[in-house]
């Protein structure tokens, strides 16, 4: 009887070990299957996704298409078309038609010369500033562009002509004007963008911009201006004169 009990105990232990082994093998097969599925499953990209919305529209209906899309709450409209200038040198009427469908801030891109043939080429960037809000916004855009291309940026401040008795450079500016330039330079350098300044007091703003552009051989001018009311797309005389040149 004792021998029979011993045999039964050994049999029970063997069955227990067999059951445990079977469970382990099942778990191993499950783990192997999961590992294989993980290897075969495509890895999701960790790069940020950019939503691209495409729509085809003729110029006559472009304003309606823009107005419809703008209802989704966009904060900025960037415009760039093949014919940016009309026969008279002003902004083309097609730009005005498209912009009519958007009431928020606009960014108009005008490409000329070698940059139309090679848009990826680097720029020498000039940014006229005055200290107002729209000018500061343009400076922010310019710094972002300069940082992306790893190039320096030059801020141009055109002061009023009545500066008798003042020395050149920063000394010719009033204290608040100096603060504007220093703030922009500090802000640009905070984003690893080298910044320079230029000051003009002896000419009109448009004359100063064009002269500095020629002197420094700048090939990109970033201006912050206000859109004037009316059917035509007009940003004031200063921007208009620079665009025509």
């Amino acid at each position: 009887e004792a021998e029979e009990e011993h045999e039964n105990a050994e049999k029970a232990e063997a069955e227990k070990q067999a059951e445990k082994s079977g469970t382990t093998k099942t778990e191993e097969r499950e783990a192997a299957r999961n590992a294989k599925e993980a290897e075969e499953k495509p890895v999701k990209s960790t790069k940020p996704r950019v939503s691209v919305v495409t729509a085809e529209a003729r110029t006559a209906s472009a304003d309606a298409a823009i107005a419809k899309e703008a209802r989704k709450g966009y904060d900025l409209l960037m415009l760039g078309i093949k014919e940016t200038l009309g026969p008279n040198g002003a902004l083309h009427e097609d730009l005005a038609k498209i912009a009519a469908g958007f009431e928020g801030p606009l960014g108009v891109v005008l490409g000329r010369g070698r940059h139309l043939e090679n848009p990826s080429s680097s720029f020498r960037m000039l940014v006229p500033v005055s200290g107002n809000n729209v000018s500061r916004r343009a400076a922010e855009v310019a710094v972002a562009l300069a940082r992306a291309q790893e190039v320096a940026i030059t801020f141009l401040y055109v002061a009023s002509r009545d500066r008798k008795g003042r020395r050149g450079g920063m000394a010719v500016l009033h204290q608040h004007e100096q603060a504007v330039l220093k703030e922009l330079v500090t802000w640009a350098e905070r984003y690893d963008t080298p910044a320079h300044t230029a000051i003009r007091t002896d000419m009109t703003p448009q004359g100063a911009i064009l002269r500095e552009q020629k002197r420094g051989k700048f090939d990109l001018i970033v201006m912050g201006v206000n859109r004037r009311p009316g059917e035509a797309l007009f940003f004031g005389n200063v921007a208009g004169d620079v665009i025509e040149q």
Side-chain angles (χ1 to χ4, degrees):
E1 186 176 347
E3 184 178 353
E4 184 178 354
E5 290 180 354
H6 180 69
E7 290 179 353
N8 291 338
E10 288 182 346
K11 184 177 180 181
E13 181 65 21
E15 291 176 351
K16 184 177 180 181
Q17 291 294 330
E19 182 180 356
K20 182 178 181 181
S21 176
T23 302
T24 302
K25 290 181 179 180
T26 301
E27 292 175 348
E28 289 177 352
R29 287 194 297 270
E30 183 71 18
R33 183 168 61 251
N34 292 339
K36 185 177 181 181
E37 290 177 355
E39 290 178 358
E40 295 175 350
K41 188 176 181 179
V43 179
K44 293 183 179 181
S45 174
T46 58
K47 294 182 178 180
R49 298 181 62 185
V50 178
S51 177
V52 179
V53 179
T54 61
E56 295 183 4
R58 297 178 181 178
T59 304
S61 60
D63 55 340
I66 293 295
K68 181 179 179 180
E69 187 68 22
R71 296 192 190 103
K72 299 178 181 179
Y74 295 97
D75 299 315
L76 174 66
L77 170 65
M78 297 296 294
L79 283 176
I81 64 175
K82 184 176 181 180
E83 300 294 337
T84 53
L85 300 179
N88 59 352
L91 293 175
H92 201 283
E93 61 179 7
D94 287 348
L95 280 172
K97 292 178 181 178
I98 298 173
F102 189 79
E103 297 180 357
L106 299 175
V108 180
V109 182
L110 287 79
R112 294 174 180 172
R114 67 185 180 91
H115 293 303
L116 289 178
E117 301 172 359
N118 184 18
S120 62
S121 58
S122 60
F123 300 104
R124 287 182 54 81
M125 198 174 305
L126 179 66
V127 186
V129 294
S130 62
N132 60 30
N133 288 335
V134 68
S135 174
R136 290 171 183 266
R137 293 298 186 190
E140 293 176 5
V141 172
V143 168
L145 293 173
R147 185 185 184 191
Q149 292 219 336
E150 298 182 345
V151 298
I153 190 172
T154 297
F155 295 112
L156 171 64
Y157 195 100
V158 184
S160 63
R161 300 187 184 186
D162 187 16
R163 302 296 169 107
K164 295 180 181 180
R166 291 179 176 267
R167 293 172 295 173
M170 277 287 193
V172 79
L173 300 179
H174 295 298
Q175 187 174 358
H176 73 279
E177 295 171 325
Q178 294 181 25
V180 168
L181 278 180
K182 290 179 180 178
E183 179 186 3
L184 290 174
V185 170
T186 301
W187 186 78
E189 292 177 344
R190 189 181 305 153
Y191 289 91
D192 301 321
T193 301
H196 311 287
T197 60
I199 301 169
R200 293 289 175 267
T201 61
D202 56 347
M203 58 187 66
T204 63
Q206 50 266 57
I209 294 169
L210 293 171
R211 180 176 176 179
E212 189 66 24
Q213 181 273 325
K214 185 177 181 180
R215 189 189 69 83
K217 296 182 179 179
F218 294 101
D219 48 19
L220 176 61
I221 300 176
V222 181
M223 298 181 64
V225 291
N226 289 307
R227 178 166 37 165
R228 303 298 195 267
E231 295 183 0
L233 188 59
F234 184 60
F235 295 106
N237 293 326
V238 174
D241 290 346
V242 173
I243 290 171
E244 289 181 10
Q245 296 297 320

